[in-house]
Amino acid sequence: MSNSRKGVKLFYDVISPYSWLAFEVLCRYRNVWNIDLTLKPAYLTGVIYGSGNQPAGANPSKLMYMVSDLKLTSEYFGVPMFRPSSISEKDSLNAMRFVTAIAEKGKDGDTLERVSRELWKRKWRTQQDITQPASLTDAGLKAGLSANEVEEILTLSKSQPIKDKLKSVTEEALEYRCFGFPFIVCNVNGKAKVFFGSDRFELMAYFFGEKWVGPQPDKPTVQM
């Protein structure tokens, strides 16, 4: 294992199931690879249209593949999830403003991780709403925030500075030529490399001079 400290930025949106997979893997490998992980909540719809890309739902074949792929991929990554019955392009905006407010409020990284995870669970595991204040409140409470803290963050999430911050981070992703999530920017020894998707960890390990031992590094390997 390399002793050099490595920086990793994860641009993500809770509407993206593949972002959840990348998020969990990076959290698992944080100490294994000795990385400084920075979460960058952004707005996927802004990236899609800002980059000239198209939503997955715009291509029926791509959407059908995604439904099939997610079942097997989630099993492999050890992150159970189920595709919601409907996906609206804009239904993550309030959620991502809420997450951005938590980040800007100066909450510790663990809180940001827990809230993001709870929102992914609602959308992709229990198929619950993530657009309404009551839904965001429930996610915040389950993540360990107090009722007063959640109310304060909900109010903050509607403010212009938070709207501007989410837009700014989304634009930052676009500056890296981002076209979808998860989008991962890695830095080591002054060198930077970007990776798209949740299936590039072997290459990321190679870039870092580390070993990839599968999506669950603490899981014992079965000798064949």
Side-chain angles (χ1 to χ4, degrees):
M1 182 175 69
S2 170
N3 291 322
S4 60
R5 199 67 184 175
K6 310 157 192 78
V8 176
K9 295 179 182 178
L10 172 64
F11 291 90
Y12 71 98
D13 187 320
V14 295
I15 199 66
S16 161
Y18 293 100
S19 289
W20 188 10
L21 301 178
F23 165 87
E24 296 294 356
V25 168
L26 289 172
C27 286
R28 294 167 186 170
Y29 271 85
R30 178 164 35 204
N31 294 328
V32 178
W33 284 352
N34 193 34
I35 60 176
D36 286 320
L37 176 60
T38 303
L39 299 180
K40 305 285 285 186
Y43 186 40
L44 180 58
T45 298
V47 162
I48 292 294
Y49 290 105
S51 65
N53 201 351
Q54 287 188 324
N59 186 321
S61 296
K62 187 175 182 179
L63 187 59
M64 286 180 64
Y65 173 81
M66 175 181 160
V67 172
S68 171
D69 178 67
L70 270 180
K71 183 178 185 301
L72 183 61
T73 304
S74 66
E75 291 173 3
Y76 172 68
F77 278 81
V79 184
M81 65 175 72
F82 308 93
R83 179 186 178 274
S85 55
S86 64
I87 303 175
S88 166
E89 290 177 14
K90 297 183 178 180
D91 70 359
S92 71
L93 183 56
N94 289 341
M96 295 317 294
R97 285 174 176 168
F98 183 73
V99 174
T100 299
I102 289 171
E104 289 301 287
K105 188 66 178 171
K107 292 295 179 184
D108 59 85
D110 287 345
T111 302
L112 183 57
E113 289 177 21
R114 291 197 304 270
V115 171
S116 297
R117 186 178 286 114
E118 287 300 331
L119 289 168
W120 268 310
K121 284 181 181 178
R122 288 185 69 87
K123 185 66 181 178
W124 294 101
R125 185 172 296 173
T126 58
Q127 300 189 19
Q128 293 175 284
D129 172 74
I130 60 169
T131 66
Q132 299 300 315
S135 303
L136 301 177
T137 296
D138 186 59
L141 292 174
K142 286 183 177 177
L145 295 171
S146 69
N148 287 339
E149 286 176 317
V150 171
E151 186 61 35
E152 186 178 358
I153 291 166
L154 275 173
T155 300
L156 182 62
S157 71
K158 300 171 186 175
S159 69
Q160 194 59 47
I162 291 301
K163 294 177 182 179
D164 291 343
K165 180 62 178 181
L166 180 59
K167 182 179 179 181
S168 172
V169 176
T170 302
E171 289 173 347
E172 180 185 350
L174 288 168
E175 288 173 3
Y176 283 111
R177 303 296 182 186
C178 176
F179 52 88
F181 292 155
F183 195 77
I184 305 166
V185 181
C186 299
N187 286 275
V188 62
N189 298 327
K191 295 172 60 178
K193 185 70 177 176
V194 299
F195 299 90
F196 167 72
S198 57
D199 58 354
R200 312 303 286 170
F201 292 109
E202 294 94 334
L203 282 177
M204 199 179 300
Y206 176 76
F207 175 70
F208 281 148
E210 298 286 357
K211 290 184 179 179
W212 166 253
V213 293
Q216 301 181 70
D218 295 332
K219 191 173 181 179
T221 337
V222 178
Q223 298 295 327
M224 300 301 289

